[in-house]
């Protein structure tokens, strides 16, 4: 495999080859024929980054810029939920003009925020025009196509939950078909008359069908309301993102056993090259991971404080730990409560501090009362910082650092 050397700028005239331009005057791609005639190398010149395409795959080069770039979804529910999450992590995005596609996060120096379509975030991470991004796992899988330069830094941001799933009509020849295996065994599908699937996932769809032994399948590219395709007679099945499944049911479609391609939610991704080569990206990523993890771990957790009489901290701790809902994160914090009595400072009471999940909150209060707790105070937890974030250790391991 050979890669053309990085060029400092676009030459004034391209080599004898086919040249075409995008709508942006700063972006040009030239296709240069080399021997053997069946292969070709591509080089790309742009204002920010350069890309070599070798054996049909994009090999991005690290671009010469000092700013660190984070790509965020520009529209829709994913965009709003992403901004809300960052705000909850004290990383509010400051956008001077809502029509602009560039913004900043004042809490992190030298970080630019670029609002892009999710699929373009993945593509620009591969080309080197972005360093970090937040998109759905389905988008990473479809447009990243297993490229090793993409690293999933955080795989569970707890929003944007959905699944990429195969759905077929409830009626006609599919009425008694309830699994992918049964669908594959239907005698109707032949080379002359294959199963027709409408989808926007033209990489994951064929890959999934091949891995599951469905040989006679064709895919039609479609966006928007795929649910209408079977009723219109232009497809036998659809492969699309499903959240609740209500839209499928309302259009007489059903999911089948074994038909889920992947479970998806919002993830934080990064360019391996940027993490290793671009100054400051790894440190910025560390801070973002820490803030995300601290917030996400605290969601649904409450601090419970109560006073309890006791002869010693150890004796009080024994009583607390005898209750199943009062163990806290690592155990209860027990400390003396001092008061002045008859001119002397004494500690007849001890304060217990524990962290409990919301679903166990009332049960925890009941158990505290049962062992002598009083004056119970409850407050939501905003952040829980670990000694070291597990996902940070995982990232360093992926990078070989």
């Amino acid at each position: 495999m050979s890669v053309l050397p990085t060029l400092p700028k676009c030459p004034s005239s391209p080599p004898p080859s086919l040249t075409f331009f995008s709508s942006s005057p700063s972006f040009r791609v030239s296709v240069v024929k080399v021997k053997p005639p069946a292969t070709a190398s591509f080089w790309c010149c742009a204002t920010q980054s350069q890309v070599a395409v070798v054996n049909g795959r994009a090999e991005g080069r690290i671009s010469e810029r000092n700013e660190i770039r984070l790509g965020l979804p520009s529209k829709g529910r994913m965009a709003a939920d992403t901004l809300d999450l960052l705000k909850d992590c004290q990383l509010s995005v400051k956008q001077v003009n809502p029509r602009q596609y560039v913004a900043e996060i004042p809490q992190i120096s030298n970080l630019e925020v670029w609002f892009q379509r999710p699929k373009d975030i993945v593509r620009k991470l591969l080309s080197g025009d972005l360093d970090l991004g937040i998109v759905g796992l389905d988008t990473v899988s479809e447009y990243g196509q297993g490229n090793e330069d993409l690293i999933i830094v955080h795989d569970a941001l707890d929003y944007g939950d959905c699944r990429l799933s195969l759905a077929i009509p409830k009626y006609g020849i599919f009425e008694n078909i309830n699994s992918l295996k049964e669908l594959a065994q239907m005698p109707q599908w032949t080379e002359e008359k294959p199963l027709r699937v409408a989808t926007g996932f033209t990489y994951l769809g064929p890959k999934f069908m091949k891995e599951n032994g469905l040989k006679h399948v064709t895919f039609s590219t479609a966006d928007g309301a795929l649910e209408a395709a079977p009723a219109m007679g232009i497809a036998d099945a659809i492969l699309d993102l499903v959240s609740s499944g209500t839209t499928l049911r309302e259009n007489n479609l059903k999911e089948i056993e074994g038909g889920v391609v992947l479970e998806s939610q919002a993830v934080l991704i990064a360019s391996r090259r940027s993490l290793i080569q671009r100054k400051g990206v790894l440190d910025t990523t560390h801070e973002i991971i820490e803030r995300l993890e601290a917030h996400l771990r605290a969601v649904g957790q409450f601090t419970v404080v109560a006073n309890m009489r006791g002869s010693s901290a150890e004796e009080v701790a024994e009583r607390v730990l005898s209750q199943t809902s009062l163990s806290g994160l690592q155990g209860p914090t027990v400390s003396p409560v001092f008061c002045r009595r008859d001119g002397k400072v004494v500690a007849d009471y001890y304060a217990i501090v524990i962290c409990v999940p919301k679903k166990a909150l009332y049960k925890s209060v009941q158990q505290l009362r049962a062992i002598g707790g009083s004056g119970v105070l409850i407050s939501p937890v905003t952040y829980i910082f670990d000694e070291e974030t597990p996902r940070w250790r995982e990232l360093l391991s992926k990078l070989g650092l």
Side-chain angles (χ1 to χ4, degrees):
M1 179 182 75
S2 62
V3 181
L4 295 180
T6 303
L7 300 177
K9 61 180 180 179
C10 292
S12 57
S13 60
S17 59
L18 171 65
T19 302
F20 56 92
F21 294 82
S22 71
S23 58
S24 171
S26 63
F27 188 86
R28 180 176 67 194
V29 177
S30 292
V31 182
V32 185
K33 292 184 178 180
V34 297
K35 293 183 179 181
T39 62
S41 296
F42 295 65
W43 55 263
C44 165
C45 293
T47 55
Q48 292 293 342
S49 65
Q50 295 162 333
V51 182
V53 179
V54 182
N55 297 330
R57 295 183 66 87
E59 300 290 339
R61 315 283 184 79
I62 195 74
S63 57
E64 295 180 2
R65 56 177 165 78
N66 295 321
E67 301 82 12
I68 300 167
R69 291 178 175 175
L70 169 66
L72 299 183
S74 56
K75 296 179 181 179
R77 178 68 180 272
M78 177 75 79
D81 289 347
T82 299
L83 294 179
D84 288 343
L85 172 65
L86 293 174
K87 184 178 180 180
D88 289 338
C89 297
Q90 300 299 309
L91 294 174
S92 294
V93 176
K94 184 179 180 181
Q95 192 176 14
V96 178
N97 185 337
R99 293 182 178 273
Q100 291 180 334
Y101 286 93
V102 63
E104 65 175 354
I105 297 178
Q107 291 83 357
I108 301 181
S109 62
N110 203 37
L111 178 68
E112 291 181 347
V113 173
W114 287 81
F115 293 101
Q116 301 283 302
R117 295 184 302 176
K119 61 183 178 182
D120 289 335
I121 291 175
V122 177
R123 288 168 175 165
K124 289 177 181 180
L125 279 166
L126 291 173
S127 69
D129 293 311
L130 293 175
D131 306 303
L132 300 160
I134 295 179
V135 294
L137 179 60
D138 59 288
T139 305
V140 179
S141 303
E142 173 67 18
Y143 296 97
Q145 299 185 6
N147 193 300
E148 293 183 355
D149 187 56
L150 288 178
I151 291 183
I152 296 179
V153 177
H154 198 299
D155 62 352
L157 296 182
D158 286 352
Y159 68 95
D161 296 81
C162 60
R163 58 190 177 274
L164 179 59
S165 186
L166 185 68
I168 59 176
K170 295 179 179 178
Y171 50 84
I173 61 173
F174 300 101
E175 184 175 0
N176 297 315
I177 302 300
N178 297 301
S179 70
L180 186 64
K181 183 178 179 181
E182 291 173 350
L183 180 66
Q185 292 174 347
M186 292 180 68
Q188 284 87 345
W189 318 131
T190 64
E191 189 172 347
E192 293 75 23
K193 189 180 179 182
L195 173 70
R196 300 169 301 159
V197 180
T199 186
F201 292 84
T202 55
Y203 170 75
L204 291 176
K207 181 173 179 288
F208 176 76
M209 292 298 192
K210 182 179 179 181
E211 290 173 350
N212 286 275
L214 279 83
K215 298 178 181 179
H216 305 303
V217 184
T218 59
F219 291 86
S220 58
T221 305
D223 294 313
L226 296 181
E227 292 84 2
M232 295 177 68
I234 59 178
D236 301 304
I238 68 170
L239 182 66
D240 201 9
L241 295 176
V242 179
S243 295
S244 64
T246 301
T247 305
L248 290 181
R249 291 190 293 272
E250 289 178 348
N251 285 274
N252 290 315
L253 298 175
K254 62 183 178 182
E255 294 179 86
I256 55 177
E257 181 184 346
V260 176
V261 178
L262 62 80
E263 299 282 348
S264 181
Q265 65 173 297
V267 297
L268 172 65
I269 56 176
S271 161
R272 182 187 298 270
R273 290 185 310 279
S274 292
L275 289 170
I276 296 175
Q277 299 177 29
R278 191 181 304 286
K279 182 180 178 180
V281 174
L282 193 60
D283 290 338
T284 296
T285 303
H286 187 195
E287 180 173 349
I288 293 174
I289 293 175
E290 291 259 270
R291 288 174 178 263
L292 288 171
E293 283 284 83
H295 164 69
L296 292 171
R297 190 164 182 215
V299 171
Q301 297 285 339
F302 287 81
T303 298
V304 178
V305 181
N307 289 335
M308 188 178 299
R309 284 185 179 275
S311 58
S312 68
E314 290 76 11
E315 185 266 329
V316 171
E318 284 285 351
R319 272 190 280 161
V320 173
L321 290 172
S322 69
Q323 304 299 310
T324 56
S325 298
L326 303 181
S327 58
L329 295 177
Q330 294 163 325
T333 298
V334 181
S335 55
V337 177
F338 294 98
C339 62
R340 187 178 294 276
R341 183 179 297 115
D342 298 329
K344 296 181 180 180
V345 176
V346 295
D348 292 335
Y349 280 87
Y350 288 84
I352 298 96
V353 182
I354 57 173
C355 186
V356 299
K358 183 177 182 179
K359 62 183 180 181
L361 185 57
Y362 184 65
K363 184 177 180 180
S364 299
V365 173
Q366 288 179 309
Q367 291 183 352
L368 274 172
R369 287 170 171 169
I371 58 175
S374 62
V376 181
L377 303 178
I378 298 172
S379 58
V381 178
T382 306
Y383 304 105
I384 298 176
F385 285 93
D386 286 316
E387 183 178 354
E388 185 180 43
T389 306
R391 282 188 171 86
W392 172 245
R393 293 196 300 268
E394 292 173 8
L395 177 60
L396 294 180
S397 177
K398 291 177 182 177
L399 296 174
L401 301 176

